[in-house]
Every structure is written in C-alpha cells, then in structure tokens.
Amino acid sequence: MNKLDASARGVYLITVTPFTDDGALDLQSTDRMVDFYLEAGVTGLTVLGIMGEATKLTADESQVFVKRVLDRVGGKVPVVVGASAPGFAPMRELTAKVMDIGAAGVMVAPAHTLRSDEQIVGYFEMVGETLGADVPWVLQDHPVSTGVAMSTSVIKRIIEKVPSCVMLKHEDCPGLAKLSALRSASDRGELRRVSILTGNGGGLFLPEELGRGADGAMTGFAYPEMMVEVCRAYSNVDVERAHDIFDAYLPLARYEQQPGIGLAVRKQILADRGVIASSAVRKPGPKLSAADKADIQRLTERQNRRLAAIN
Amino acid sequence: MNKLDASARGVYLITVTPFTDDGALDLQSTDRMVDFYLEAGVTGLTVLGIMGEATKLTADESQVFVKRVLDRVGGKVPVVVGASAPGFAPMRELTAKVMDIGAAGVMVAPAHTLRSDEQIVGYFEMVGETLGADVPWVLQDHPVSTGVAMSTSVIKRIIEKVPSCVMLKHEDCPGLAKLSALRSASDRGELRRVSILTGNGGGLFLPEELGRGADGAMTGFAYPEMMVEVCRAYSNVDVERAHDIFDAYLPLARYEQQPGIGLAVRKQILADRGVIASSAVRKPGPKLSAADKADIQRLTERQNRRLAAIN
Amino acid sequence: MNKLDASARGVYLITVTPFTDDGALDLQSTDRMVDFYLEAGVTGLTVLGIMGEATKLTADESQVFVKRVLDRVGGKVPVVVGASAPGFAPMRELTAKVMDIGAAGVMVAPAHTLRSDEQIVGYFEMVGETLGADVPWVLQDHPVSTGVAMSTSVIKRIIEKVPSCVMLKHEDCPGLAKLSALRSASDRGELRRVSILTGNGGGLFLPEELGRGADGAMTGFAYPEMMVEVCRAYSNVDVERAHDIFDAYLPLARYEQQPGIGLAVRKQILADRGVIASSAVRKPGPKLSAADKADIQRLTERQNRRLAAIN
Amino acid sequence: MNKLDASARGVYLITVTPFTDDGALDLQSTDRMVDFYLEAGVTGLTVLGIMGEATKLTADESQVFVKRVLDRVGGKVPVVVGASAPGFAPMRELTAKVMDIGAAGVMVAPAHTLRSDEQIVGYFEMVGETLGADVPWVLQDHPVSTGVAMSTSVIKRIIEKVPSCVMLKHEDCPGLAKLSALRSASDRGELRRVSILTGNGGGLFLPEELGRGADGAMTGFAYPEMMVEVCRAYSNVDVERAHDIFDAYLPLARYEQQPGIGLAVRKQILADRGVIASSAVRKPGPKLSAADKADIQRLTERQNRRLAAIN
C-alpha cells in the first residue's frame, strides 16, 4: 500500500462508523459502506474522524473497525486514520498499530488547550517526532471543534518545520482567504506544496474552495457523488457545471450541517439509501424526530427532481 | 407608534449601519436603506444588532442613528433596538432614550458570563425589572455569539416569569426541535404564546423553521425579498413554492454566512444593489478581496438566472 | 475490598502518575508514592485524575498503573479511579476492568459539550446506567477544566435521580455558597446525603470549606499531611489550629496552583521529598526553570521555619 | 500632569467604583477612597478596570467618576483609565475625554474575538493609531477575562511596533516564565524596556514576580499597604521581609480572589475599613452571605495578630 503524499487529490470521504440499533459495531454495514464510497468514485477514505464517533469507541473497537475498512478497501485507495489524542503515548500507539496494518497516514488536530502560535507550532513539531519521520500525516484545521485558531503563518511554519506533514484538511471559516494565501505561497515557491483538501461545513463552500486552489474535499456528506462530480467538473474547467451540481445538492447538504444533529441526519440518509443498516448514533448522541425525517424526505425528493432537470 | 407585541409576524429585517468609506456614519444611506427595506415588504426593522456593529458606535452615534431610522420609518412599521449590555445601567439608559423617541421595543441577549439555568432565568428577571413593565422586549437566543445555551425549559421559565417578553429571536442550532417544543407548548395552552422569529444563519433554515411554527424571520440577508416571499408562500400554504424561492437564493445566502467576513459580504451586496453608498465595515473588521467580490458576482448572476427560471 | 459509599470522610489523595526521566511508567516510584500517602494518613486515594495525566496514558498503561496501586494499597484504603471519557463505551470498559481488580468506585466529570441543566442531568442519568447500579461513583464538579457549570439545583437533581452517585468532588469557584446550600439541604432531610470532598485549587479554601460542611478533601497537594492535619484539627473543633496549619503551607500550596506549571511544581516537590524518582511530566507538558526551582526551595525553607514555630 | 511613561514603578492601585446601597454612584466615598489609597503610599491609580465595574456604568457616569477621581488626586500621582471597548470609536471617544481632563494614560485589553498572533498584533497597531501617538497606554494581558492568550513573542512585537505602549499589566498565569523572558530581553537590549506591573490573582504571586523583574503591582487588594510594603522591602533587597509581609496578608488576599464573589469581598473589606460607605456591587453582581462575612472577620482578626507578630 502506498503512503499518503502531497500529491493527493479528489475526494477523501470521511466515513461514519456504523452501529446496530443497540449500539454494537456493525461490520456488515462497514463493508457495504466501503463498497458504496468506492463505487461513488472517491480517491481516499478517512476513518475515526470527529464524524466517525472515534471517541465513543473502545481501543479494541477502533482496531477492529480500522482493520475491517482496510481489508475491504484492499489497497484500492489510501485510508487515513484520525489519531488526535490528548497525549502522545496513545497517539503513538494507535498510529503504530494502524500503519502496521496498512493505513496510508494519520490525521491530527491541535489539542484544545493550545493558544499562542508558539504553542501550536511546538505541538506539531512534537507530533512529527511522536509519529516518526516515515508516517505521513494530515494537519486538521478545524477551530469549531478544537477552539484553536491557526493563522496562515502558523500553518506555513508547521509545513516548513515538519516534513512529514503532507496535507492540510482545511475547515476554518473564514477560510477562502487563508486558502488563497497558502496556495499562492506554494505557487510562488515560498512554501513546500502540500495537498489541501477542504471540509468546511461538509463541503458547503466546495466550488469556491476549488476556485481558490484546493485539491479536493475531505468531508462526509451522505451524497459523495456530489463532491466527486463537482471536483470532476472543476478539473474539466467547467465551473458553471460544478456550481449546477453543487446547487442541486445544497439544500440537503445544508440540512445535514445542523450542529448537534448533523451526524444523525447523515446516518439517516445513508440508511435510507441502503448503505448502512441502522441510523443509530452511539450515546451520548442525538435522535431524529418524525419532523426531522419528513424534512429529509422532502429535501430528498426536491433534490431528485432538481438533479433530473440538470442532467 | 404601537409597541411590539406577541402577535408580530413576517420579516423583521436586521439593518446594517451604513458608514462612509472613511468610517463616519452615513445618514443619507441610512434613509435609502430604510426605504429599500420598507419597499421589500418587511413588517418591522431591528437596529443595533450584532450585525449592526452596535458595539463600534459611540453612545452619541447610537442615538443619532436610531433617531434617523425612526424618523425615516415614520411609524410605518415597528422598530426594535438592540439593548444588550454588560451592565443594567447602560441598558436602562439606552432603552429609555430609544423608547422615548418611538422604538417599539428592545432586544436583549444573555450576558456571556451566564451558565446555569438559574443564572439565566434570574438574569432575565432582572432585565424585565430594569426595562420596566411597559417596555416589550425580545429574548435573543444566539449561543454562537453569546456562548450561553438556553434550553427549552429555560426559555419557558423566562416567558412565564417575565410578561414583558413578547418575542423570541431564535438563533440556536440545533433549533428545529426547540422550535417545535416551544410552539407545541403554547398550542397546548401550557405556555403563553410569544412571537417566534428565526435568524439562524441569516435565514438558512427558514422554510423548515416556518414548518415548525415560526412566525417569520428576524435576520439581515441582503435580499430581504427572499424572506418576505418565502414567508408569504408559506402563509399561502404553498410549501414547495417557498422552497423554490429559498433554493434560488440559498447559494448566495450561504456565502453571506461565512463567519468573519459575512457582514462585509452583506454590505458589499447592498452597495452593489445601490442601497448604501459604501461597503465599509468599521474597524476592527474585515475587507473583501478581489476574489471574494468575483465570487459574489458569479453567485449573483447565477441567482438572477435561477430566479428568472422559477418566476 | 469495600466499595465507596456516602460516609467517606477525610483526605482522598489525588495521586500523580510517576514517570522516569524518559517518560516511561515508573512502577517502583508508584509503590513508594502509595506508601508515602498511606503513611501521611490519607483515608483514600484517587488515581487517573486530571493531575494524574490520565489522558496521556495508553489503555494498557492505565491498567498496569491502576493494578499496581491497588496491589500496593492492599485494601487498606479505598481507591477511586477517574473514568471520565467522551464516550460511554470506553467509560464502561475502563470501569468494568478496574472494579474487577478492586477499585472502590469511579469518578466522572461532565463532557465538555454539555450546556443546559437538562443536558447535564440527562448525561449523568446515562452515566449511572452505563456504570451499572452496583458501581458507586463520584460526581466531579470542576468547571475550570470541563467548561461545564453545574448549579446547586442540577447537582441536587443528579443526586436524586442517580442513587449510585455517593460523593461530590467539589471544585467549583465560587463554591462556598454552593457547599452551604447542598449541605443544608441534606441536613434538612430534603436531599440524600452524599459525601462532599473538596478540591478547590489544590485545597486553597480547605478550612473555609470544612466550615461549610465538607467531609474532607480530594486533592493532590504535595504535602498531604497538611490536609490530614487540617481535617483532624477541624474534627477536633480546633478551628484556629486548623488555620494555623493551613497558613503555614499556604504560600507553597498557592505556588503549586499556578495554572500550566502546577503539576510540574507538585512533581518537583515530591521528587525533592524522595517520594518519586523523577519530576518528569509527560509530553506535552511543562518544565520548570532554575528560577522556578529556586522559588520552590525558598518557599520550602520558609515553610519549614513556620511549621517549627507553630508546633 | 505628567503622562505615564516606561519608568513607572511601585503600586498602581486598581480602584473599585463606590456605589450607595441603592446602586447610585457614591462620590463622597470616591473622595475618601482616593485619600485612603494615597495615604497608603500608592504611586498611581487605575480606574474603570474590570474590578471597577466599568461596563456597568453609563457613559455619563464614567465621565463623572473619572473626573471626581482626577480632581481629588490633584496631580499627586498618575491616573490610568481603562479604555477597552469592542469598537474603536467608543475607545477613541473615552480616551480623548479622559486625557483632556488629566488622565496619565489608558489601559487596553485585547478584544475577546482575537485568536492568532497576527490578529493580536494587528489589533494593537490599530489601538495605537486610534489613541494617537501622544497617548501612552498600558497593554493588559489578562487571558482569564479576555480569553486571549498573548505569548512572549506577541508582546515583544507589540512593544516593538507601537511606541506609545509604555507598560505591560501582566496577569497571565503561568506568568513567571513570561515575565523572566520579557525582562531579560530588555536587559539584553533586544527589546525596548517598558514598565511591567503585575496583577496576577490580586497580587497572589507578588514576591516571586518582583524576583523576576516586575517593577511593581497593578491590582486592587483591599489592603494596598501590603503591596506597598512588599515592593519597598524588595527594593531594599530584603526578600525575606517581603515574604513575611506577603505571607501575613496571603490568607485574606486568597479569600478575596474567589472567582465570582471576589469583588464583593473586596468591597466588604473596604467598607469594614471605613473607606467606602457601602459594599454594594451593582447588578448583575454577587452578594455576600453571613457565613462569607464571618469568614472575612476571622481572617481579618488572624491577619491582625500575624501582623502584630512580625512588626
């Protein structure tokens, strides 16, 4: 299996973690989900992210789930594993285990206690040492969940100081200006070029982010074909087509981005599509009401009509 | 001028505060802006909100601006004034002044130091005493800006304990479940019915919120006609039409909701539409790049084509 | 081994986790540390707390460390294990393992995402179910680290709804009023009486908290004899003596409470006292400077003189 | 009246704002308070700080209070005025008014929305422009109240870029290392020397901070003589004497630092000492219980005995 590198492009789909109705890991659904994502044309997968309910799994369950995904993927696309942890010992341990069974790299977000630029850069230097020079990793910039703001200059310093950082998962908002600044710095040769995949709001700014030089998306909207097709249209320099596709999915993508219940919406859609057997989110987690499900149904029907009209 | 009461419906537009390029209050643009909003069919105005750059005005400027808006409105619609303040003395002073010159009521968000339910309820009891029993006020539930989470039961207790609270500005996310719970409580006669206007994300969930019983919107998207027409379609029980209109504006509405630069986008659109003379945001505040403006232009053109198609 | 119950009193010492200079678990120091605490007269131990660097341990290391402590304690005093976790599956797993090898109970703090009273009470009802009715647990109220404010009424509701909650670890500030309110509620028979041990600022308000009805302390100041003797003097109704002892240790206790470097100060003192072999804090963590160590030395010498004067 | 400059030393006492029992400004108590502080030997005063309930005053009240203090001080010591504000227009207005009537300078904390180093430095460059080159100002580093972490390098950049910044009010925790780093940078000639006064926890680390090179204290403990005498002993290179004095006051100083009720404790002590007529804190604010007052009385009596013993 090839490791992740800075040439990564396209859609790295952030997977959910399927559970049965009573909260057990659902490995059959895991297989079906992997097949579904691969058929949608994703170029990579990311597991054990925030939307993968990573912190709700036991250490053993994490191992079992990652192994199942890697086995099913069978080397067809690279698989990135979320490895953020409050301490370096658990981060090192998880990383060693998943790299050993075929992960392409790991993803690390800053610890929520970090504040100043110096602290943040120092933290990721230690991350680089902890993971080891041969483990490529993704820098996750997601201030909404971490509370840590990383400025353009901080990200540049991390990229300069830690060669094993090969990708930025860009989820800051406002983010378009940051994206432009980072991309133009590497275009001018002032900064090592890393891959930049965006995740803002489940892809809610995807066309604009591609316009600023993003290499693709790393997010988990329950219609991965949206991201795949928007990226493809953009690659074909058909920007209006990219927006047409994006706009057709936007009402539902927006609905899936409601803080608090977003993951439940995503799992409901995936269950409705037959991808996973149960929409269950592990406790503590939200449940959808009948009204929520009716909203999803209406938006899905409208989306289908809209897609029919533009294709 | 009639005071605000619990029967308020429709669109209470949150106005910007227009400045000249060099940062002075622009009163000519203020007049034009008021006319523009009234012509769009709004049923009320809200000034000195977060998006009105209230905290960047001196006390004198606040007075001048509110008076100018009230004079121009001339009693045609009620005007609500943001009166949140860290202390009750400034809140009382501002409220007395604006009520004296014709405001219909004020709006108050919780102080950012409040945490427990008891503290929050106690705070708003003091707010009620501070404003006086004859000043109707709007409870602003906006955890993203205040950091204060108000549960359904807290809001119920405030409504029960403070009769001068006549409206909820609902901006919590997740919010649909809270909206359903509040509305059904008053439908069952268990809770005094107050007006509920929603502001979530500049109206990004407006159709669904109307579906849960909201009486309209209190937000400031630069196309007020969107909110007016969606509310009208909903009133006419033409839900699909409401969604059609909403969807046409959604890509630009979403772009206007970028944290950090959203207000600059809103003012740019209003300036592009000829409503205000300058898109300037007072310092400290963001500026748009050429790429941001190009994004706005593309989205505006696409929006125009889409609107032509559905009308 | 008896399980923890609501009659617990005295000093439950929060242990550090000893490491060697290169960051490995130091089990010899662990034994010595247990002996030291027992000789100081503590009535219980708490391991894997925030000051125990719990999140920096791998799952295996946690098991090894807890087992070593339990073996060394040999049933002489109850041992509480910190079991806070973002998800219930890892919380259940850790709890089952440590109860199986002889822990007296576990301690759980609220998840940092909780905000409203309803959410907090609901969370701890699920905690009670997750742990099982036969596992006694300590409710940790530590808003500085969790960001969650629990009012007196929330704590009462948790105590009422979850019978397996037998102790409150009280670390809120302002906390004296809350302590008075909880204790008087149980004195009046309105609330089941649980044990209340305080941890505020490493015990920086210990005499006043005992005065309000606390049953003792659960904290980790490097001079456990201070807490033991202050509690004893208070039991003997010799309040001025309790303050005399407290005041003698206060300058150093205060120094140990510096946010950010406090744990490094604590471990330095324990190393200076010969309790643990190395003062190392696991990465990411602070290091003391020569000036910090000189401060500690001066304060220790002054403390020795002061203790000599009052004894 | 001389303006504030970088040579400032000693104790700049942060005043409370006295109110009558019914919440009105108490100008007689203001006079008495000023006299009390001057007699205690302070070298400066700071008004309208966080502990001065600045945000609870109307704009007019702020003016009246500052003028009263300045008139009573009569130029004997410099007076610094807190001028932090969410917007630059109110900051400029307040600064112009108070400098016009004789203030020595103003104090500004970072806006709570700032996160990255770039944002913070940029903000204070705008502060410098807003105030004008001839207005000396104090940089307030108080992350507990602002939520903004300023690293040593950020503070250095602000000092380098904004010449009108003449003082740092140092209230970060951990802060001793930062203090050492800043002071050694100016000692080595690498950084313009500014005055550094410390406020940590109401002076709870004063002797250690003087040991790291602080020029004095800016804080408001109700016994200003403690800070004055500790600074004097340190100037006389009598470090043990400085600690003896400090230790005598520490139990009460610690009690005054309880988050939430600290200001009420401070005002109670000042009222007990006859400095201000009423201990009232303006709403929203805390009230002391009988038990709180008994604690204060006991600690005061113990303090008196201890002071008698060391003098």
Side-chain angles (χ1 to χ4, degrees):
Chain A
M1 181 65 219
N2 286 332
K3 285 188 183 165
L4 191 70
D5 66 36
S7 69
R9 303 185 59 80
V11 178
Y12 276 61
L13 205 291
I14 300 207
T15 78
V16 298
T17 301
F19 298 109
T20 62
D21 280 341
D22 56 5
L25 265 184
D26 179 350
L27 296 174
Q28 278 71 36
S29 287
T30 300
D31 288 345
R32 206 158 51 234
M33 174 186 76
V34 168
D35 296 346
F36 166 77
Y37 289 144
L38 292 176
E39 284 157 22
V42 305
T43 50
L45 290 179
T46 302
V47 297
L48 299 189
I50 294 167
M51 284 308 206
E53 302 177 70
T55 59
K56 298 182 197 164
L57 301 179
T58 65
D60 282 351
E61 287 174 331
S62 297
Q63 303 295 328
V64 168
F65 177 69
V66 172
K67 180 154 191 342
R68 187 76 168 214
V69 169
L70 286 167
D71 285 351
R72 190 72 175 189
V73 168
K76 295 192 191 81
V77 299
V79 177
V80 175
V81 179
S84 301
F88 288 141
M91 186 188 298
R92 181 188 298 117
E93 181 184 59
L94 175 65
T95 299
K97 285 186 181 168
V98 299
M99 294 303 291
D100 200 48
I101 56 174
V106 298
M107 178 161 69
V108 183
H112 69 94
T113 52
L114 302 170
R115 283 298 169 269
S116 74
D117 287 12
E118 282 167 11
Q119 289 172 330
I120 300 168
V121 174
Y123 182 82
F124 282 107
E125 289 185 287
M126 285 193 285
V127 166
E129 284 168 31
T130 298
L131 302 179
D134 55 338
V135 174
W137 60 278
V138 180
L139 173 62
Q140 184 175 21
D141 181 17
H142 193 203
V144 165
S145 67
T146 62
V148 179
M150 297 199 280
S151 66
T152 303
S153 72
V154 161
I155 294 172
K156 283 181 183 174
R157 283 165 62 192
I158 295 168
I159 293 171
E160 281 161 9
K161 283 172 180 277
V162 195
S164 54
C165 172
V166 298
M167 183 187 286
L168 173 68
K169 176 161 170 33
H170 172 268
E171 301 187 81
D172 192 12
C173 235
L176 295 175
K178 191 191 278 192
L179 231 171
S180 293
L182 287 170
R183 198 38 95 215
S184 70
S186 56
D187 286 351
R188 286 192 309 266
E190 296 165 11
L191 182 71
R192 180 168 61 89
R193 194 185 198 286
V194 298
S195 173
I196 303 181
L197 302 188
T198 82
N200 259 323
L204 285 187
F205 294 91
L206 182 55
E208 288 85 0
E209 290 167 329
L210 293 171
R212 303 293 175 104
D215 299 302
M218 185 188 281
T219 181
F221 179 41
Y223 286 86
E225 53 267 51
M226 182 274 269
M227 282 94 77
V228 169
E229 292 176 34
V230 168
C231 288
R232 186 178 298 143
Y234 234 96
S235 292
N236 296 340
V237 204
D238 191 350
V239 177
E240 293 299 325
R241 171 74 184 164
H243 277 277
D244 287 347
I245 297 162
F246 176 78
D247 288 359
Y249 288 96
L250 180 56
L252 191 54
R254 160 205 65 117
Y255 197 85
E256 202 203 74
Q257 281 308 304
Q258 291 175 79
I261 66 165
L263 177 61
V265 172
R266 178 174 295 173
K267 284 190 146 181
Q268 182 66 43
I269 299 174
L270 289 172
D272 289 345
R273 299 188 79 183
V275 178
I276 57 179
S278 164
S279 62
V281 173
R282 247 192 195 179
K283 286 184 185 178
K287 282 196 179 177
L288 299 186
S289 66
D292 296 328
K293 292 178 188 171
D295 282 342
I296 294 170
Q297 189 175 350
R298 177 192 300 276
L299 291 169
T300 304
E301 289 166 4
R302 290 183 55 82
Q303 178 174 291
N304 289 338
R305 291 201 296 274
R306 184 89 197 107
L307 286 168
I310 66 166
N311 285 313
Chain B
M1 181 65 221
N2 287 333
K3 285 188 182 165
L4 191 69
D5 66 35
S7 69
R9 302 185 58 80
V11 178
Y12 276 62
L13 204 290
I14 299 207
T15 79
V16 299
T17 301
F19 298 108
T20 62
D21 281 341
D22 55 5
L25 265 183
D26 179 349
L27 297 173
Q28 279 71 36
S29 287
T30 300
D31 287 347
R32 206 158 51 232
M33 175 185 77
V34 168
D35 296 348
F36 165 77
Y37 289 143
L38 292 175
E39 284 158 22
V42 303
T43 50
L45 290 179
T46 301
V47 297
L48 299 189
I50 294 167
M51 283 311 205
E53 301 178 68
T55 58
K56 298 182 198 166
L57 301 178
T58 66
D60 283 352
E61 287 174 331
S62 297
Q63 303 294 326
V64 168
F65 177 69
V66 173
K67 183 160 190 337
R68 186 75 169 216
V69 169
L70 286 166
D71 286 351
R72 190 72 177 189
V73 168
K76 294 190 193 80
V77 298
V79 176
V80 175
V81 180
S84 301
F88 288 141
M91 186 189 297
R92 182 189 295 116
E93 181 184 58
L94 175 66
T95 298
K97 285 186 181 170
V98 301
M99 294 305 291
D100 200 48
I101 57 175
V106 298
M107 179 162 68
V108 184
H112 70 92
T113 51
L114 302 170
R115 284 296 168 270
S116 74
D117 286 12
E118 283 168 10
Q119 289 173 329
I120 299 168
V121 174
Y123 182 84
F124 282 107
E125 288 185 288
M126 285 194 283
V127 165
E129 286 169 29
T130 298
L131 301 179
D134 56 337
V135 174
W137 60 278
V138 180
L139 173 61
Q140 184 174 21
D141 180 17
H142 193 202
V144 165
S145 68
T146 62
V148 179
M150 297 199 281
S151 66
T152 303
S153 73
V154 161
I155 293 172
K156 284 181 182 173
R157 285 166 62 191
I158 295 167
I159 292 171
E160 281 160 10
K161 284 170 179 276
V162 195
S164 55
C165 173
V166 298
M167 183 187 286
L168 173 68
K169 176 164 171 28
H170 172 267
E171 302 186 80
D172 192 11
C173 236
L176 295 175
K178 192 191 279 190
L179 231 171
S180 294
L182 288 170
R183 199 39 96 211
S184 70
S186 56
D187 287 350
R188 287 193 307 265
E190 298 165 9
L191 181 71
R192 179 168 61 89
R193 193 186 198 285
V194 298
S195 172
I196 304 181
L197 302 187
T198 80
N200 258 325
L204 286 188
F205 294 90
L206 184 53
E208 287 86 1
E209 289 166 329
L210 293 170
R212 303 293 176 104
D215 299 301
M218 185 186 282
T219 181
F221 179 41
Y223 285 85
E225 52 266 51
M226 182 274 268
M227 282 92 76
V228 170
E229 292 176 34
V230 168
C231 287
R232 186 178 299 142
Y234 234 96
S235 292
N236 296 339
V237 204
D238 191 350
V239 177
E240 293 297 326
R241 171 74 183 164
H243 277 276
D244 287 346
I245 297 161
F246 176 78
D247 288 357
Y249 288 96
L250 180 56
L252 192 54
R254 158 205 65 119
Y255 197 85
E256 203 202 77
Q257 282 308 304
Q258 291 175 80
I261 68 165
L263 178 60
V265 171
R266 179 175 294 172
K267 285 189 144 183
Q268 182 67 41
I269 299 174
L270 289 171
D272 289 346
R273 299 188 79 183
V275 178
I276 57 178
S278 164
S279 62
V281 174
R282 245 190 197 182
K283 288 183 184 178
K287 283 195 176 176
L288 299 186
S289 66
D292 296 329
K293 292 178 188 171
D295 282 342
I296 294 170
Q297 189 174 351
R298 175 191 303 273
L299 291 169
T300 304
E301 289 166 5
R302 289 183 55 85
Q303 178 175 290
N304 290 338
R305 290 201 296 275
R306 185 89 196 108
L307 286 168
I310 66 166
N311 285 314
Chain C
M1 181 65 218
N2 286 334
K3 284 186 183 168
L4 192 69
D5 67 36
S7 69
R9 303 184 58 81
V11 178
Y12 276 61
L13 204 291
I14 300 207
T15 79
V16 299
T17 301
F19 298 109
T20 62
D21 281 341
D22 55 4
L25 264 184
D26 178 350
L27 296 174
Q28 276 72 33
S29 288
T30 300
D31 287 345
R32 206 159 48 233
M33 175 184 76
V34 168
D35 296 346
F36 166 77
Y37 290 143
L38 292 176
E39 284 157 23
V42 304
T43 49
L45 290 179
T46 303
V47 297
L48 299 189
I50 295 167
M51 283 310 205
E53 303 178 70
T55 58
K56 299 181 195 165
L57 300 178
T58 65
D60 283 350
E61 287 174 329
S62 298
Q63 303 295 326
V64 168
F65 176 69
V66 173
K67 182 158 190 339
R68 186 76 170 214
V69 168
L70 286 167
D71 286 350
R72 189 72 176 187
V73 168
K76 296 191 191 80
V77 298
V79 176
V80 176
V81 179
S84 301
F88 288 140
M91 186 188 299
R92 182 188 297 114
E93 181 185 57
L94 176 65
T95 298
K97 284 187 182 170
V98 299
M99 294 304 290
D100 201 47
I101 56 174
V106 299
M107 179 162 69
V108 183
H112 69 93
T113 51
L114 302 170
R115 285 296 168 269
S116 74
D117 286 10
E118 282 167 11
Q119 290 173 330
I120 299 169
V121 174
Y123 182 82
F124 283 106
E125 289 185 288
M126 285 194 283
V127 165
E129 285 168 31
T130 299
L131 301 180
D134 55 339
V135 174
W137 59 279
V138 181
L139 173 61
Q140 185 175 21
D141 180 18
H142 193 201
V144 165
S145 69
T146 61
V148 178
M150 297 199 281
S151 66
T152 303
S153 72
V154 161
I155 293 172
K156 284 181 184 172
R157 286 165 62 192
I158 295 167
I159 292 171
E160 281 160 11
K161 283 170 180 276
V162 194
S164 54
C165 173
V166 298
M167 183 187 287
L168 172 67
K169 176 162 168 32
H170 173 268
E171 302 187 79
D172 193 11
C173 237
L176 295 175
K178 192 190 279 189
L179 230 171
S180 293
L182 288 169
R183 196 41 93 211
S184 69
S186 56
D187 287 350
R188 288 193 307 267
E190 296 166 12
L191 183 70
R192 179 168 62 88
R193 193 186 198 283
V194 299
S195 172
I196 305 181
L197 302 187
T198 80
N200 259 322
L204 285 188
F205 294 91
L206 182 55
E208 289 85 1
E209 290 166 329
L210 293 171
R212 304 292 176 104
D215 299 302
M218 186 187 281
T219 179
F221 178 41
Y223 285 86
E225 52 267 52
M226 182 273 270
M227 282 93 76
V228 170
E229 292 176 34
V230 168
C231 288
R232 186 178 301 143
Y234 234 94
S235 293
N236 297 339
V237 204
D238 190 350
V239 177
E240 293 299 323
R241 171 75 184 165
H243 277 276
D244 288 344
I245 297 161
F246 177 76
D247 289 358
Y249 289 97
L250 179 56
L252 192 54
R254 157 206 66 117
Y255 197 85
E256 203 203 76
Q257 283 307 307
Q258 292 176 78
I261 67 165
L263 177 60
V265 172
R266 178 174 296 172
K267 285 190 145 182
Q268 182 67 44
I269 299 174
L270 289 172
D272 289 345
R273 298 189 79 184
V275 178
I276 56 178
S278 164
S279 62
V281 174
R282 246 191 196 180
K283 289 185 184 178
K287 282 196 180 174
L288 299 186
S289 65
D292 296 330
K293 292 177 189 172
D295 282 343
I296 294 170
Q297 188 175 349
R298 176 191 301 275
L299 291 169
T300 304
E301 288 166 6
R302 289 182 56 83
Q303 178 173 292
N304 289 338
R305 290 200 296 273
R306 186 92 196 105
L307 287 169
I310 66 167
N311 285 315
Chain D
M1 182 62 220
N2 288 333
K3 285 185 183 166
L4 190 71
D5 67 35
S7 69
R9 302 184 59 80
V11 178
Y12 277 61
L13 204 291
I14 299 206
T15 80
V16 299
T17 301
F19 298 109
T20 63
D21 280 342
D22 56 4
L25 263 184
D26 179 349
L27 296 174
Q28 277 71 35
S29 287
T30 300
D31 288 346
R32 207 159 48 233
M33 174 185 76
V34 168
D35 296 348
F36 166 77
Y37 289 144
L38 292 176
E39 284 158 22
V42 305
T43 50
L45 290 178
T46 301
V47 298
L48 301 188
I50 294 166
M51 283 309 205
E53 302 178 69
T55 58
K56 299 182 196 165
L57 301 179
T58 67
D60 283 351
E61 288 175 329
S62 297
Q63 303 294 326
V64 167
F65 176 69
V66 173
K67 185 161 188 335
R68 187 75 168 215
V69 169
L70 286 167
D71 285 352
R72 191 72 177 188
V73 169
K76 294 191 192 82
V77 299
V79 177
V80 175
V81 180
S84 301
F88 288 140
M91 186 188 299
R92 183 189 294 114
E93 181 184 58
L94 175 65
T95 299
K97 285 185 181 170
V98 300
M99 294 304 290
D100 201 47
I101 57 174
V106 298
M107 180 160 70
V108 184
H112 70 93
T113 51
L114 302 171
R115 282 296 169 271
S116 74
D117 287 11
E118 283 167 9
Q119 290 172 329
I120 298 169
V121 174
Y123 182 82
F124 282 107
E125 290 185 288
M126 284 194 285
V127 166
E129 286 168 29
T130 298
L131 301 180
D134 56 338
V135 174
W137 60 279
V138 180
L139 174 61
Q140 185 175 19
D141 180 17
H142 193 200
V144 165
S145 68
T146 62
V148 179
M150 298 199 279
S151 65
T152 304
S153 72
V154 161
I155 293 172
K156 284 181 183 174
R157 284 165 63 190
I158 295 167
I159 292 172
E160 281 161 8
K161 282 171 180 277
V162 195
S164 54
C165 172
V166 298
M167 184 188 284
L168 172 68
K169 177 162 169 29
H170 172 267
E171 302 186 80
D172 192 10
C173 237
L176 295 175
K178 193 192 277 192
L179 230 171
S180 293
L182 288 169
R183 198 39 95 211
S184 70
S186 55
D187 286 351
R188 287 194 307 266
E190 296 166 11
L191 182 69
R192 179 168 62 87
R193 194 187 198 284
V194 298
S195 174
I196 304 181
L197 301 187
T198 81
N200 259 325
L204 285 188
F205 294 92
L206 182 55
E208 288 85 2
E209 290 166 329
L210 293 171
R212 304 291 175 106
D215 298 303
M218 185 187 282
T219 180
F221 178 41
Y223 285 87
E225 53 267 50
M226 182 273 269
M227 282 93 77
V228 170
E229 291 176 35
V230 169
C231 287
R232 186 177 300 142
Y234 235 94
S235 292
N236 295 339
V237 203
D238 191 350
V239 176
E240 293 298 324
R241 170 76 184 164
H243 277 276
D244 287 345
I245 297 161
F246 176 78
D247 288 357
Y249 289 97
L250 180 56
L252 192 53
R254 158 207 66 118
Y255 197 86
E256 203 203 77
Q257 283 307 305
Q258 290 175 80
I261 68 164
L263 178 60
V265 173
R266 179 175 295 173
K267 285 189 146 183
Q268 183 67 43
I269 299 174
L270 290 171
D272 289 345
R273 300 189 78 184
V275 178
I276 58 178
S278 164
S279 63
V281 173
R282 248 191 194 180
K283 286 185 186 176
K287 282 195 177 175
L288 299 187
S289 66
D292 296 329
K293 291 177 190 172
D295 282 342
I296 294 171
Q297 189 175 348
R298 176 192 302 274
L299 292 169
T300 304
E301 289 165 6
R302 290 183 54 84
Q303 178 174 292
N304 289 339
R305 289 201 296 273
R306 184 93 196 103
L307 286 169
I310 66 166
N311 285 313

